[in-house]
Amino acid sequence: MSMGRLTVDQLDEHLWRAAEVLRGELDASAFSQVLGPLLLLKRASDQPGLFHVSEESRWSTVLEHGRSTPGHALEAALHRLETDNPEHMAGLFQMVNFGSAPSRRVLRWLIDHLDQVSLSDEDLAFRDGVGRAFDRFLVRTASLAGAKGADVFVPRAVCRLMTELVAPQEGDSVADPHAGWGGMLLQAARYVTDHGGHPSNLKLNGQEKNTAAWLTSRINLLLHGVTDAVVANTEPLAEPLLADGYDLARFDRVLTVPPFSRNYLRHEVSHTERMRYGWVPEGGKKADLMFIQHVLATLSPGGRAAVVAPHGVLFRGGAEGEIRRGLIEDDRIEAVIGLGANVFYGTNIPTSVLVLKSTRGRPADERGSILFVDAQGEVTTGRSKNRLDAQHIARIAGVFHRREELPGFSRLVSLEEIRRNDFTLNIRRYVDADPLPEPLIDIGAALVGGVPRNEIEEHIGRFQAFGISLGELFLPDRPGYLRFPAEGHQAVAARIPTLAHARTLSFLDAVRRWWADQIPLLVDLAGTGRLFRSGLRSRLETTFCEELLPLAVLDRYQLLGALSSWWSDRDDELRTIDAYGFKEVVGRRRAPAERKGPPNRPPFIPPGQEADLVLERLTDGLCLHVEQLITAELRKLIDIYLRWGERYAVSMVDLEEQYLAASKRLRLRMTGLGHV
């Protein structure tokens, strides 16, 4: 790898400059329908052997004829590319038409803009770099498109969560009957890669009714190097995927986010045996359970599915209630996971993930119960959208796979209890996620001051984990009570980060020592191409928790979330180390690069010190993620201490003294004014 190779970051920025030009010509939801085909055409032309490319489809031909008739030149090139590659592109560009928008001027600009970068393997940092940059482009586009992109774009964090829940394995068949822009299928492949498998052995299948989204999903997959995926431009209720022309196709894993609250027409539904649990009325915008039954019908023996649905599916009565009863009685529901509001584009409502199993899919020791998880609080609030972060995903998936019960978060509920509740799956019926009510005000403290020891002892362990002693927070008082220092509770609360500083540094030192022990593993794998298939990530997760959990500063899921966030953020660096070694990480250009003009000069690094520099950067990146979680924990401690102050900083005796002092001042003032 030379320093001139194009990185994902650079190509991402290059594509976004094109999007800025398209803003005045098209709606954001249509950007991918223009740039996607052009990007695939450029990639096919630049990389010999990827597809069959005749002279008419070459980029040089588009450049030659694109001056006067850019739309015609592009359409001719794309249609010829499709004709020459029927096994991969049959019908792909039938809807592509550059006759009206964007304008001829913008099309010429786009052709020139893409000509500035080479998309051949030898000029790319990674073979899948074009696909990864395009997927980032889709994420940005969805943010601009808002509600218009809601049905075709699933936030990538939701894709990661659902993939973690169903855990596809190498060799599995994976389907998404509402594939949108293809994110769920690509995340399944990424999951297999991250866990040491070969994603090429996955059998990826999808359906997408929206023709524009279907075009984008197929291009997205092809740009990622996934050439054997099957994505049909059909609707799953009317035209489910078939294995042999008649029987339903079966899949080991199904991941999907069906459109919420849609209508359906019963006479259009084929293979009605899928609806073994019943039919919802037509015209009520309640087809959610029809889609869920379709997913169940397409699971292979031992298969598992994750489906997102609105909360109404969990408790509505009538025909939906009867369908839900059948699903519960047949033990088809493994878990019900409530997600927070405002996570999806196009809706602010909270949603749920149903984890489903085939009729023979659940181990004997897991039958007869459903795991309920109330994860509505597991989000990070953003300006326009809330998001699932790595620690949220780690906690939800970890609790699911361990079938772990955490107070206020998760609970295993027997089918018998669900029967007693008339088969409702309303999460709040089984998991009380509301904060525990504040204890009643202690009368003694309210009258004469002090803070009750029993209220302090409930939380003091969290302070002590950060090295903060009881004596640094309170002073002795009468038996059963402590009191705030003279400086006041707000001043003490402000000092909590300082009081925790030594333990924070000690914890970060432990993180650095742990990482130092793992460095030889990374060094041995550098340049071998085996880093992602070696099981390194699983080993890191195991040893990270073993080393740091006993310190009690962060819990298991916070630790796993920090490690996952770090791994994701450093993905390009780790890929570069894997493929080329440490030296090439330092040599990568940092600014957006174009093929024309001299390359940016990287900083000088003395020979032999490249590995040290990269490893130091990786260490600092991991510590940064850990520090962010520690800062959040310290904020919680500050809030706890301030709540004690709100309850007990001022007693009735204090109020009486303040009243008497104020009265005395008033009398003196009145006397000074001549009033008796």
PDB file of all heavy atoms in Angstrom, residues 4 16 24 27 55 76 100 136 174 190 225 265 325 378 389 477 590 676:
ATOM      1  N   GLY A   4      -0.403   6.951  -1.559  1.00  0.00           N
ATOM      2  CA  GLY A   4      -1.322   7.550  -2.492  1.00  0.00           C
ATOM      3  C   GLY A   4      -2.660   6.856  -2.566  1.00  0.00           C
ATOM      4  O   GLY A   4      -3.540   7.299  -3.287  1.00  0.00           O
ATOM      5  N   TRP A  16     -19.575  13.361  -0.868  1.00  0.00           N
ATOM      6  CA  TRP A  16     -20.454  14.355  -0.258  1.00  0.00           C
ATOM      7  C   TRP A  16     -20.357  15.700  -0.964  1.00  0.00           C
ATOM      8  O   TRP A  16     -21.324  16.462  -0.995  1.00  0.00           O
ATOM      9  CB  TRP A  16     -20.172  14.494   1.228  1.00  0.00           C
ATOM     10  CG  TRP A  16     -21.325  15.143   1.918  1.00  0.00           C
ATOM     11  CD1 TRP A  16     -21.363  16.329   2.565  1.00  0.00           C
ATOM     12  CD2 TRP A  16     -22.667  14.636   1.984  1.00  0.00           C
ATOM     13  NE1 TRP A  16     -22.618  16.596   3.038  1.00  0.00           N
ATOM     14  CE2 TRP A  16     -23.447  15.572   2.687  1.00  0.00           C
ATOM     15  CE3 TRP A  16     -23.282  13.473   1.514  1.00  0.00           C
ATOM     16  CZ2 TRP A  16     -24.799  15.391   2.937  1.00  0.00           C
ATOM     17  CZ3 TRP A  16     -24.629  13.288   1.753  1.00  0.00           C
ATOM     18  CH2 TRP A  16     -25.374  14.241   2.459  1.00  0.00           C
ATOM     19  N   GLY A  24     -29.496  21.276  -5.113  1.00  0.00           N
ATOM     20  CA  GLY A  24     -30.403  22.182  -5.810  1.00  0.00           C
ATOM     21  C   GLY A  24     -31.158  21.540  -6.953  1.00  0.00           C
ATOM     22  O   GLY A  24     -32.019  22.173  -7.568  1.00  0.00           O
ATOM     23  N   ASP A  27     -34.325  15.959  -4.680  1.00  0.00           N
ATOM     24  CA  ASP A  27     -34.581  15.705  -3.277  1.00  0.00           C
ATOM     25  C   ASP A  27     -33.501  14.762  -2.756  1.00  0.00           C
ATOM     26  O   ASP A  27     -33.010  13.897  -3.474  1.00  0.00           O
ATOM     27  CB  ASP A  27     -35.962  15.060  -3.111  1.00  0.00           C
ATOM     28  CG  ASP A  27     -36.338  14.909  -1.657  1.00  0.00           C
ATOM     29  OD1 ASP A  27     -36.872  15.868  -1.085  1.00  0.00           O
ATOM     30  OD2 ASP A  27     -36.074  13.821  -1.100  1.00  0.00           O
ATOM     31  N   GLU A  55     -16.354  -1.730 -24.482  1.00  0.00           N
ATOM     32  CA  GLU A  55     -15.890  -0.379 -24.777  1.00  0.00           C
ATOM     33  C   GLU A  55     -16.965   0.664 -24.494  1.00  0.00           C
ATOM     34  O   GLU A  55     -16.675   1.761 -24.010  1.00  0.00           O
ATOM     35  CB  GLU A  55     -15.445  -0.295 -26.239  1.00  0.00           C
ATOM     36  CG  GLU A  55     -14.717   0.993 -26.608  1.00  0.00           C
ATOM     37  CD  GLU A  55     -13.407   1.161 -25.832  1.00  0.00           C
ATOM     38  OE1 GLU A  55     -12.770   0.139 -25.504  1.00  0.00           O
ATOM     39  OE2 GLU A  55     -13.043   2.322 -25.539  1.00  0.00           O
ATOM     40  N   ALA A  76     -26.458   4.852 -21.875  1.00  0.00           N
ATOM     41  CA  ALA A  76     -25.965   3.836 -22.801  1.00  0.00           C
ATOM     42  C   ALA A  76     -24.910   2.962 -22.130  1.00  0.00           C
ATOM     43  O   ALA A  76     -24.905   1.721 -22.294  1.00  0.00           O
ATOM     44  CB  ALA A  76     -25.380   4.510 -24.047  1.00  0.00           C
ATOM     45  N   SER A 100     -34.305  14.260 -17.488  1.00  0.00           N
ATOM     46  CA  SER A 100     -34.831  15.517 -16.947  1.00  0.00           C
ATOM     47  C   SER A 100     -33.989  16.063 -15.801  1.00  0.00           C
ATOM     48  O   SER A 100     -33.668  17.252 -15.766  1.00  0.00           O
ATOM     49  CB  SER A 100     -36.283  15.322 -16.474  1.00  0.00           C
ATOM     50  OG  SER A 100     -36.360  14.264 -15.530  1.00  0.00           O
ATOM     51  N   ARG A 136     -21.691   5.109   3.906  1.00  0.00           N
ATOM     52  CA  ARG A 136     -21.639   6.331   4.710  1.00  0.00           C
ATOM     53  C   ARG A 136     -22.432   7.448   4.037  1.00  0.00           C
ATOM     54  O   ARG A 136     -23.116   8.237   4.701  1.00  0.00           O
ATOM     55  CB  ARG A 136     -20.192   6.771   4.898  1.00  0.00           C
ATOM     56  CG  ARG A 136     -19.364   5.892   5.808  1.00  0.00           C
ATOM     57  CD  ARG A 136     -18.037   6.572   6.079  1.00  0.00           C
ATOM     58  NE  ARG A 136     -17.080   5.710   6.720  1.00  0.00           N
ATOM     59  CZ  ARG A 136     -15.850   6.086   7.040  1.00  0.00           C
ATOM     60  NH1 ARG A 136     -15.449   7.328   6.781  1.00  0.00           N
ATOM     61  NH2 ARG A 136     -15.011   5.248   7.620  1.00  0.00           N
ATOM     62  N   VAL A 174     -29.303 -15.741   5.118  1.00  0.00           N
ATOM     63  CA  VAL A 174     -29.818 -14.571   5.827  1.00  0.00           C
ATOM     64  C   VAL A 174     -30.755 -13.813   4.894  1.00  0.00           C
ATOM     65  O   VAL A 174     -30.419 -13.599   3.722  1.00  0.00           O
ATOM     66  CB  VAL A 174     -28.676 -13.642   6.285  1.00  0.00           C
ATOM     67  CG1 VAL A 174     -29.228 -12.433   7.026  1.00  0.00           C
ATOM     68  CG2 VAL A 174     -27.689 -14.397   7.164  1.00  0.00           C
ATOM     69  N   ARG A 190     -20.876  -8.151   7.905  1.00  0.00           N
ATOM     70  CA  ARG A 190     -19.868  -7.531   8.767  1.00  0.00           C
ATOM     71  C   ARG A 190     -19.751  -8.287  10.091  1.00  0.00           C
ATOM     72  O   ARG A 190     -18.649  -8.469  10.631  1.00  0.00           O
ATOM     73  CB  ARG A 190     -20.251  -6.069   9.008  1.00  0.00           C
ATOM     74  CG  ARG A 190     -19.354  -5.328   9.982  1.00  0.00           C
ATOM     75  CD  ARG A 190     -17.954  -5.167   9.436  1.00  0.00           C
ATOM     76  NE  ARG A 190     -17.091  -4.505  10.385  1.00  0.00           N
ATOM     77  CZ  ARG A 190     -16.952  -3.186  10.476  1.00  0.00           C
ATOM     78  NH1 ARG A 190     -17.649  -2.383   9.669  1.00  0.00           N
ATOM     79  NH2 ARG A 190     -16.131  -2.669  11.348  1.00  0.00           N
ATOM     80  N   GLY A 225     -18.666  -5.613  -2.908  1.00  0.00           N
ATOM     81  CA  GLY A 225     -18.096  -6.866  -3.385  1.00  0.00           C
ATOM     82  C   GLY A 225     -19.005  -8.059  -3.204  1.00  0.00           C
ATOM     83  O   GLY A 225     -18.575  -9.207  -3.411  1.00  0.00           O
ATOM     84  N   LEU A 265     -54.159  -6.088   1.233  1.00  0.00           N
ATOM     85  CA  LEU A 265     -55.353  -6.646   0.605  1.00  0.00           C
ATOM     86  C   LEU A 265     -55.255  -8.162   0.657  1.00  0.00           C
ATOM     87  O   LEU A 265     -54.312  -8.757   0.133  1.00  0.00           O
ATOM     88  CB  LEU A 265     -55.467  -6.171  -0.848  1.00  0.00           C
ATOM     89  CG  LEU A 265     -55.678  -4.661  -1.028  1.00  0.00           C
ATOM     90  CD1 LEU A 265     -55.639  -4.284  -2.504  1.00  0.00           C
ATOM     91  CD2 LEU A 265     -56.998  -4.230  -0.403  1.00  0.00           C
ATOM     92  N   ARG A 325     -51.868 -14.485  20.768  1.00  0.00           N
ATOM     93  CA  ARG A 325     -52.086 -15.645  21.648  1.00  0.00           C
ATOM     94  C   ARG A 325     -51.509 -16.904  21.017  1.00  0.00           C
ATOM     95  O   ARG A 325     -50.832 -17.695  21.695  1.00  0.00           O
ATOM     96  CB  ARG A 325     -53.588 -15.821  21.896  1.00  0.00           C
ATOM     97  CG  ARG A 325     -53.939 -17.062  22.692  1.00  0.00           C
ATOM     98  CD  ARG A 325     -55.445 -17.228  22.828  1.00  0.00           C
ATOM     99  NE  ARG A 325     -55.766 -18.391  23.626  1.00  0.00           N
ATOM    100  CZ  ARG A 325     -56.630 -18.410  24.617  1.00  0.00           C
ATOM    101  NH1 ARG A 325     -57.275 -17.297  24.936  1.00  0.00           N
ATOM    102  NH2 ARG A 325     -56.866 -19.517  25.294  1.00  0.00           N
ATOM    103  N   GLU A 378     -32.021   3.209  26.960  1.00  0.00           N
ATOM    104  CA  GLU A 378     -30.707   2.922  26.387  1.00  0.00           C
ATOM    105  C   GLU A 378     -30.522   3.690  25.075  1.00  0.00           C
ATOM    106  O   GLU A 378     -30.404   3.108  23.994  1.00  0.00           O
ATOM    107  CB  GLU A 378     -30.559   1.407  26.152  1.00  0.00           C
ATOM    108  CG  GLU A 378     -30.514   0.596  27.425  1.00  0.00           C
ATOM    109  CD  GLU A 378     -29.271   0.876  28.254  1.00  0.00           C
ATOM    110  OE1 GLU A 378     -28.154   0.820  27.703  1.00  0.00           O
ATOM    111  OE2 GLU A 378     -29.418   1.154  29.459  1.00  0.00           O
ATOM    112  N   ASP A 389     -25.875   3.722  21.140  1.00  0.00           N
ATOM    113  CA  ASP A 389     -24.423   3.668  21.113  1.00  0.00           C
ATOM    114  C   ASP A 389     -23.951   2.262  21.452  1.00  0.00           C
ATOM    115  O   ASP A 389     -24.750   1.384  21.816  1.00  0.00           O
ATOM    116  CB  ASP A 389     -23.831   4.683  22.090  1.00  0.00           C
ATOM    117  CG  ASP A 389     -23.924   6.111  21.560  1.00  0.00           C
ATOM    118  OD1 ASP A 389     -24.017   6.274  20.324  1.00  0.00           O
ATOM    119  OD2 ASP A 389     -23.909   7.055  22.368  1.00  0.00           O
ATOM    120  N   ASP A 477     -22.512  13.477  62.698  1.00  0.00           N
ATOM    121  CA  ASP A 477     -23.645  14.157  63.332  1.00  0.00           C
ATOM    122  C   ASP A 477     -24.168  13.222  64.414  1.00  0.00           C
ATOM    123  O   ASP A 477     -23.464  12.283  64.828  1.00  0.00           O
ATOM    124  CB  ASP A 477     -24.717  14.482  62.287  1.00  0.00           C
ATOM    125  CG  ASP A 477     -25.652  15.602  62.722  1.00  0.00           C
ATOM    126  OD1 ASP A 477     -25.259  16.775  62.627  1.00  0.00           O
ATOM    127  OD2 ASP A 477     -26.772  15.279  63.148  1.00  0.00           O
ATOM    128  N   ARG A 590      -4.087  12.140   5.177  1.00  0.00           N
ATOM    129  CA  ARG A 590      -5.184  12.495   6.074  1.00  0.00           C
ATOM    130  C   ARG A 590      -6.212  13.415   5.429  1.00  0.00           C
ATOM    131  O   ARG A 590      -7.356  13.445   5.828  1.00  0.00           O
ATOM    132  CB  ARG A 590      -4.617  13.141   7.338  1.00  0.00           C
ATOM    133  CG  ARG A 590      -3.894  12.117   8.211  1.00  0.00           C
ATOM    134  CD  ARG A 590      -2.966  12.787   9.196  1.00  0.00           C
ATOM    135  NE  ARG A 590      -2.356  11.808  10.074  1.00  0.00           N
ATOM    136  CZ  ARG A 590      -1.370  10.998   9.704  1.00  0.00           C
ATOM    137  NH1 ARG A 590      -0.885  11.067   8.491  1.00  0.00           N
ATOM    138  NH2 ARG A 590      -0.859  10.118  10.550  1.00  0.00           N
ATOM    139  N   VAL A 676     -42.443  52.426  65.266  1.00  0.00           N
ATOM    140  CA  VAL A 676     -42.274  51.677  66.512  1.00  0.00           C
ATOM    141  C   VAL A 676     -42.819  50.274  66.311  1.00  0.00           C
ATOM    142  O   VAL A 676     -43.892  50.110  65.784  1.00  0.00           O
ATOM    143  CB  VAL A 676     -43.024  52.367  67.670  1.00  0.00           C
ATOM    144  CG1 VAL A 676     -42.858  51.557  68.953  1.00  0.00           C
ATOM    145  CG2 VAL A 676     -42.501  53.776  67.860  1.00  0.00           C
TER     146      VAL A 676
END
